[in-house]
Amino acid sequence: IFEWNNDTSLWVQKGQAVERNETDESTYPNTRTGHCVDINNNGNVVAVGTPVYYRDSNYYGQIRILVWNGTAWIQRGQDFNGTNSPRARLGLSVSLNAEGDIVACATDKSDIFIYQWDGITWNLRGSLIPGGEHFLDTTVKLSADGNRIVISTSGNFDSNSVLGYSRIFYWNGIDWVQD
């Protein structure tokens, strides 16, 4: 992670490099850590997607949130490990709101999980937004306040369609509702 230095007009590394867990790397070397990343508005919270996180002979995927503590990047809360189905590959897309306390995560089945930080742990915010089966290139983007999300896919293997779509949902205070 780099930060612009106005005095030197150079990009300077901020803290240590963000890498995958050593146990992940030694056991499964191609996890694609960093396939997708996002950073909050002030640059002190980062989400890192690992869509090929491997466990139990399947690719479930993983998201990790890091926060800058003034000297180093430390993990905020628990990992998000894909659990909804084997080969779901959670972490193909991530998006943080401006504060970095809400994160949206996509799987390759277009299922969307949205979590909110309560100061101690990450909690699912509303229901999972179901996608379907075998979508291509699902992308998510949260609004600055985290109360609106756009979900986009570029095609569907099941229907042999290359026609993608975008859906917009808003938070009604209880759950996500499609616009």
Side-chain angles (χ1 to χ4, degrees):
I1 300 168
F2 290 80
E3 182 173 62
W4 182 254
N5 183 311
N6 285 325
D7 295 333
T8 63
S9 296
L10 297 171
W11 288 99
V12 178
Q13 187 169 342
K14 184 175 182 176
Q16 76 281 14
V18 176
E19 299 175 355
R20 56 191 157 181
N21 289 341
E22 285 187 27
T23 54
D24 296 345
E25 185 173 347
S26 62
T27 308
Y28 308 107
N30 298 312
T31 60
R32 294 177 56 196
T33 296
H35 170 80
C36 64
V37 294
D38 199 15
I39 192 166
N40 75 327
N41 274 10
N42 71 8
N44 289 328
V45 181
V46 175
V48 180
T50 304
V52 190
Y53 180 76
Y54 192 82
R55 148 179 120 249
D56 303 328
S57 301
N58 283 294
Y59 298 108
Y60 286 89
Q62 184 180 79
I63 304 284
R64 183 167 288 155
I65 308 297
L66 304 168
V67 63
W68 180 250
N69 71 0
T71 58
W73 294 100
I74 59 169
Q75 187 166 339
R76 174 182 274 178
Q78 72 278 15
D79 292 333
F80 304 107
N81 293 314
T83 58
N84 61 328
S85 66
R87 301 189 70 78
R89 297 183 188 199
L90 179 70
L92 285 173
S93 180
V94 296
S95 180
L96 289 166
N97 69 335
E99 292 296 317
D101 62 350
I102 300 173
V103 61
C105 317
T107 72
D108 73 350
K109 296 182 184 292
S110 296
D111 292 333
I112 309 303
F113 299 87
I114 302 168
Y115 295 91
Q116 186 162 15
W117 178 249
D118 67 7
I120 298 169
T121 190
W122 291 98
N123 299 292
L124 191 61
R125 187 179 198 216
S127 303
L128 165 139
I129 300 173
E133 292 293 323
H134 302 104
F135 285 93
L136 299 169
D137 301 326
T138 301
T139 303
V140 294
K141 181 63 179 157
L142 280 170
S143 62
D145 65 5
N147 290 325
R148 196 167 295 272
I149 184 171
V150 62
I151 303 163
S152 184
T153 66
S154 63
N156 183 328
F157 284 131
D158 290 341
S159 67
N160 293 322
S161 171
V162 292
L163 298 175
Y165 67 84
S166 293
R167 298 181 295 160
I168 300 170
F169 290 80
Y170 68 92
W171 178 249
N172 69 4
I174 298 170
D175 212 346
W176 297 97
V177 178
Q178 189 167 358
D179 259 350

